[in-house]
Amino acid sequence: MWGSIWARYPDAVIEFDLSARGGSTDLRWTLYVRPPAPSPAAIGHLRKRMNELINANLRYTFGQ
């Protein structure tokens, strides 16, 4: 679990689930935020930022 990376949502928590699949590992992350839920636009921003941090930046560390 990660604590919040957003000042606007200090109670947000990101939970990571790893599961083995054959010779690889699947990664799933879930973002939890206390009500009231962020607007659809804010959710899109949060998802995009997590995608960049987890997926894009991780790939770059491996040179892909």
Side-chain angles (χ1 to χ4, degrees), residues 4-51:
S4 182
I5 59 173
W6 299 280
R8 188 170 184 176
Y9 303 101
D11 62 337
V13 175
I14 301 109
E15 180 180 85
F16 295 92
D17 295 304
L18 299 169
S19 59
R21 179 179 249 192
S24 64
T25 303
D26 289 339
L27 167 66
R28 180 180 65 186
W29 58 265
T30 306
L31 174 64
Y32 296 99
V33 181
R34 291 183 189 211
S39 69
I43 290 172
H45 170 75
L46 300 173
R47 290 177 64 193
K48 181 178 180 190
R49 183 67 180 131
M50 286 300 299
N51 186 45

